[in-house]
Structures are given as structure tokens and as C-alpha cells.
Amino acid sequence: MTTNRAAIFDVDGTLVDTNHLHVVTWWEALRQAGHRVPMREIHRAVGLSAGDLLDHLLGDGDARDPDEDEQLDAAHHALYATYFERLPVLDSAGDLLRALAGWGWTVVLATSASGAELAALRRAIGADEVIVGAAGADDVADGKPAPGPVRQARELAGVPSERAVFVGDTVWDMQAALRDGVLPVAVLSGGIPRADLEAAGAQAVYRDAADLLAHLDSSVFADRE
């Protein structure tokens, strides 16, 4: 069905409970390379692209060896890939996407994942029949908080900014949505505090996908006919 409304979703921490897997696997990749980075700092950086995450954790990219960045990214990917067949979907995530599709929303994803990782995440969600497309890391020049991923997902849905809602779990998600003129909605399932998400621009905050589904009738999705 062709619609003129887009429900854009982040994936890690929003639909699939993977943020802490990323924390542990980035921590291990960094440890193996001799970098001591507290897990709390890694947690706050989850949701950024690999390059931006390393800039955030290790300092300005121009001061680092690009070859080491590639090695760190590859090590993280190899460690994280060991979980591909058992990524834990968050409760009611697939049901939420199906409910929105049933209401006439075009469901698209905007994520820093790509390739085999994105395929594994989509398998975990188990709602490919209603997901029209996905904007992954390979589809944009700059990841969140740049607006590119949200814009690319929105363009896949074929809607203007004012006809889209973006649901995410990090401050980077909220900032990316605002920069594309899309209404940002947050969930707490990624472990970022409500106050931080609201300060970053979240117009509504829900506990998780199940909470949003339970309150769909009173959410912004119900208001945007």
C-alpha cells in the first residue's frame, strides 16, 4: 500500500536489545589494542558510526592512525558477529511495526548497521513483511547525529519531513531527526536517561517498544492522520 506517512525506526537499542553487546565488544576491541576506555563512556557513544565513535572515545581522528581505526572497527565487528544468530529482539518490537503498517504508516529503518549485521538485526525483529526499506551505514556519507540516515530513510518512504516520525533511543537519534525536520520520539530501552533524551529534543518518551505499542492510540502516530 502507498501511504504518505513514514514511521522511521532506529534499530539497536530501539527494536533489538543490543546496545550493551556493542559496549562489551567495543570495550574488548579497544582493550586488545591497548586502549583503556570505561564502559560507561562507550555506552554513551553507541549509535554513532564507527569512525565517529572512535573520535568520541579516543579524540580527534586526525591525531590517530587510520589503519588502527580500521583494525578496531574490524575487531569490534568480528566480536559482535558472534552474536548474530541470537540477537535479542525487544518485546513487541515486531508487533509495533506491524500495527503501524496496519494504520497506513510506511515503516522504514535508519541505522548505523549495514550488510550482514543489518540482515541479522532484521531477522531478529521478524517483521520484514512490513519494513519497506532501510538506510544503513553504507547508504550515507555521515552517520547520526548528521541527518543523512533519517533523510535517506524518509526518502525511501517518499515523504516530506513533516509527514515523518523517528523513533530512537540515543541523543544522536534525536539530534539527527531534528536536523532533518522530523519529529523525534524516544524509548528508554537503550539505557540513556529520559532527561538526556528530552534535552536532545525528544517530543515524547516511552519505556520501550511495548510501552509505545500500548499507548499507540494516544501517541503522535495517532495524531498524524
Side-chain angles (χ1 to χ4, degrees):
M1 172 175 17
T2 302
T3 71
N4 63 349
R5 302 178 297 175
I8 306 170
F9 281 84
D10 171 61
V11 180
D12 286 302
T14 301
L15 299 173
V16 188
D17 193 12
T18 48
N19 280 13
H20 289 86
L21 295 178
H22 279 297
V23 171
V24 171
T25 51
W26 271 118
W27 176 84
E28 178 60 16
L30 289 160
R31 187 198 67 80
Q32 289 176 3
H35 298 287
R36 295 175 58 86
V37 181
M39 288 195 186
R40 66 180 181 276
E41 294 183 15
I42 300 172
H43 180 218
R44 305 288 291 192
V46 168
L48 294 171
S49 66
D52 288 342
L53 180 143
L54 291 172
D55 282 349
H56 190 77
L57 296 176
L58 301 179
D60 180 49
D62 293 337
R64 296 199 314 274
D65 180 354
D67 289 339
E68 186 190 30
D69 281 10
E70 292 179 12
Q71 292 166 6
L72 287 166
D73 188 19
H76 162 257
H77 183 78
L79 290 161
Y80 183 69
T82 64
Y83 296 99
F84 278 2
E85 299 308 315
R86 57 189 191 279
L87 297 177
V89 65
L90 285 156
D91 289 348
S92 300
D95 290 339
L96 173 60
L97 302 189
R98 283 185 283 269
L100 287 168
W103 279 12
W105 289 78
T106 299
V107 176
V108 286
L109 308 178
T111 174
S112 57
S114 62
E117 179 182 343
L118 179 53
L121 289 163
R122 291 181 67 154
R123 285 196 303 273
I125 297 166
D128 260 4
E129 73 277 9
V130 298
I131 298 173
V132 170
D138 294 337
D139 301 313
V140 294
D142 297 302
K144 307 167 200 168
V150 178
R151 180 181 299 122
Q152 176 70 13
R154 180 174 56 74
E155 290 175 352
L156 286 172
V159 302
S161 299
E162 64 270 16
R163 297 294 291 172
V165 175
F166 180 61
V167 182
D169 68 296
T170 69
V171 296
W172 322 117
D173 291 328
M174 302 302 103
Q175 291 170 2
L178 287 175
R179 288 172 182 174
D180 190 47
V182 171
L183 191 147
V185 170
V187 287
L188 299 173
S189 44
I192 301 302
R194 177 187 294 268
D196 290 6
L197 295 166
E198 290 177 340
Q203 297 300 296
V205 181
Y206 297 89
R207 185 179 64 253
D208 52 21
D211 186 36
L212 175 52
L213 178 60
H215 294 92
L216 211 52
D217 287 341
S218 58
S219 74
V220 295
F221 290 103
D223 293 339
R224 296 197 158 203
E225 294 299 333

